[in-house]
């Protein structure tokens, strides 16, 4: 079996000293590295390494030694120790003897032994790599979180920021589309060898070895254009981890907070080509979210959500838990207390409400199966964006809604996790529309495809539903969220109001339907309305 020589000495791993791959070589016939991977994690990485041992997660796998006893599950007391984490695609859930997971019914058995033959190939490979690296503990979600315990799942998902940020290394089964595939085996590329002799100096001779290129448009396509990089949970796992070792179909890649390298190409990527530039300032050891620019933090949050909502999820209820680790980091960075309310920050609440769907014909909304309130971005399965995230500070402060109260029901009172129901109370200006129609053609307002009308057949503005409506909608209200200014260069394409629908048999209870922008001739549309309190579900 080929395992890259990640470390020359045990001390280099533990203390975060210079790390480098060994020379070409093969163990037990697996594909050898073609040339050294010079991963000089060096001084920057040394500074980023933990100054003291991290605390272990709630459960880890004690892998044992090579050739020794079988691995077993360990319930820790959160004692200090180094460990390695695994990031992988689950794939389809196949019921077989090689798909062992942690259940309430087998926890006692796994505390005694985890039979290698009963777990997936990916998990077997991870245990073998950890043993080769001379680490003792490994964290795998499927074996360290009780899969049929909602409370344990919520508790552990709330700790994802600690699990991945504190792991000394994250192994990534990058090329595997399911946990049954494994990630260490790599196909041998066919090589054609050609003799060479210099025409001018016959003493200079040798051989050329030619093989098919392993790269696409860019070397990192082998990582970025994989199924692993499209899954919802792996987004925060990649951003939170200090160091990642990617096992792709043909090449190993190293990724950390100071450099990115591959084993056959030592070129570094530019800062903005790295996924984790969102959390990092160049030349600074601490993530950018710990800097003082409060609006810069919010803008980074909306950019994270833009990328995150493009990911794929097996369960819609995972949207909020799958980003809870990043949300925890952001909340810890704020100087003042800033409540996290179903994915939106209370101190930037108006801005957080004004999200738009990338394609309303390809989205689905929480209706029959509740997973988030209608006003939260997490109520939509589909790619979203915040067109107003780059507005100037004085425009961002120009909100016309106030968050009066938060009555959301949370699972285990975890504000970062699953929302079970409830509402928020808002104070703002509401005004009812007479009808909403979809024009045959639309021009400048290409994102806002519906005409909004009030009494007297007056065109008020244009709107966009979160999910396409088959018929012309009725009983729609507009909520002013921001004050739209005449001639403001930002707002022709940026929403300033929400489209709401009144809950049947109620008066001041509403749900969100979409976003809207006012016509230039109707900027005083809300001036006749007095602010009032209402509930938004």
């Amino acid at each position: 079996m080929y395992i890259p020589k990640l470390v020359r000495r045990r001390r280099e791993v533990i203390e975060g000293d210079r790390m480098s791959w060994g020379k070409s070589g093969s163990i037990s016939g697996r594909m050898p590295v073609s040339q050294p991977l010079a991963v000089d994690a060096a001084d920057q990485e040394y500074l980023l390494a933990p100054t003291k041992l991290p605390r272990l997660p709630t459960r880890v796998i004690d892998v044992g030694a090579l050739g020794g006893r079988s691995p077993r599950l360990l319930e820790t007391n959160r004692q200090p120790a180094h460990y390695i984490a695994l990031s992988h695609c689950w794939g389809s859930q196949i019921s077989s003897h090689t798909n062992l997971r942690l259940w309430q019914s087998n926890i006692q058995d796994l505390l005694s032994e985890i039979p290698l033959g009963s777990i997936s190939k990916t998990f077997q490979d991870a245990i073998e790599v950890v043993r080769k690296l001379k680490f003792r503990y490994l964290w795998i979600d499927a074996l360290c979180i009780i899969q049929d315990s909602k409370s344990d799942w919520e508790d552990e998902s709330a700790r994802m920021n600690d699990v991945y940020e504190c792991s000394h290394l994250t192994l990534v089964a990058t090329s595997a589309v399911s946990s049954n595939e494994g990630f260490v085996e790599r196909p041998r590329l066919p090589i054609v060898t050609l003799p060479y002799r210099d025409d001018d100096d016959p003493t200079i001779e040798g051989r050329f070895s030619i093989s098919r290129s392993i790269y696409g448009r860019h070397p990192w396509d082998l990582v970025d254009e994989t199924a692993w990089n499209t899954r919802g949970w792996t987004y925060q796992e990649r951003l939170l981890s200090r160091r990642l070792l990617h096992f792709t179909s043909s090449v190993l890649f190293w990724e950390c907070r100071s450099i990115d390298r591959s084993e056959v190409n030592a070129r570094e990527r530019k800062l903005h080509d790295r996924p984790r530039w969102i959390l990092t300032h160049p030349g600074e050891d601490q993530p950018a979210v710990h800097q003082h620019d409060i609006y810069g933090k919010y803008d980074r949050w909306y950019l994270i959500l833009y990328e995150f909502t493009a990911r794929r999820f097996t369960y819609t209820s995972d949207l909020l838990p799958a980003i809870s680790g990043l949300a925890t980091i952001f909340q810890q960075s704020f100087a003042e207390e800033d409540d996290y309310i179903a994915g939106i920050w209370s101190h930037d609440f108006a801005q957080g409400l004004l999200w738009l769907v990338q394609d309303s014909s390809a989205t689905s909304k929480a209706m029959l199966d509740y997973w988030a309130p209608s006003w939260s971005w997490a109520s939509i399965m589909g790619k979203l964006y915040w067109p107003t995230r780059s507005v100037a500070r004085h425009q961002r402060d120009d909100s016309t809604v106030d968050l009066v109260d938060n009555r959301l029901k949370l699972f285990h009172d975890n504000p970062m996790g699953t929302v079970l129901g409830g509402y928020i109370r808002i104070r703002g200006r509401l005004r009812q529309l007479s009808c909403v129609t979809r024009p045959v053609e639309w021009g400048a307002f290409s994102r806002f495809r519906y005409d909004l009308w009030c009494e007297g057949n007056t065109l008020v503005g244009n709107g966009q539903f979160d999910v396409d409506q088959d018929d012309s909608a009725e009983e729609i209200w507009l909520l002013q969220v921001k004050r739209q200014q005449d001639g403001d260069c930002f707002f022709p394409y940026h929403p300033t109001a929400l489209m709401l629908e009144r809950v049947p048999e109620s008066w001041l209870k509403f749900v969100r339907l979409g976003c809207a922008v006012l016509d230039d001739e109707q900027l005083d549309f809300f001036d006749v309305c007095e602010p009032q309190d209402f509930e938004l579900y």
Side-chain angles (χ1 to χ4, degrees), residues 458-477:
T458 301
L459 181 64
V460 174
N462 296 80
Q464 178 61 43
F465 288 99
D466 298 334
V467 180
D468 270 355
Q469 304 289 314
D470 295 331
D471 302 314
S472 297
E474 299 179 357
E475 186 69 24
I476 293 181
W477 296 64

Side-chain angles (χ1 to χ4, degrees), residues 24 36 45 66 203 205 255 310 351 367 472 486 510 518-519:
S24 301
E45 179 64 23
L66 276 173
T203 62
E205 60 181 3
E255 186 177 356
Q351 190 76 11
M367 292 181 179
S472 297
D486 185 18
F510 297 87
L518 296 178
D519 186 83

Side-chain angles (χ1 to χ4, degrees), residues 158 161 301 323-333 345 414 416:
N161 62 308
W301 176 250
I323 203 170
S324 60
L326 288 172
T328 300
I329 286 182
F330 269 80
Q331 188 175 60
Q332 292 171 349
S333 72
W345 299 106
N414 174 23
M416 307 299 177

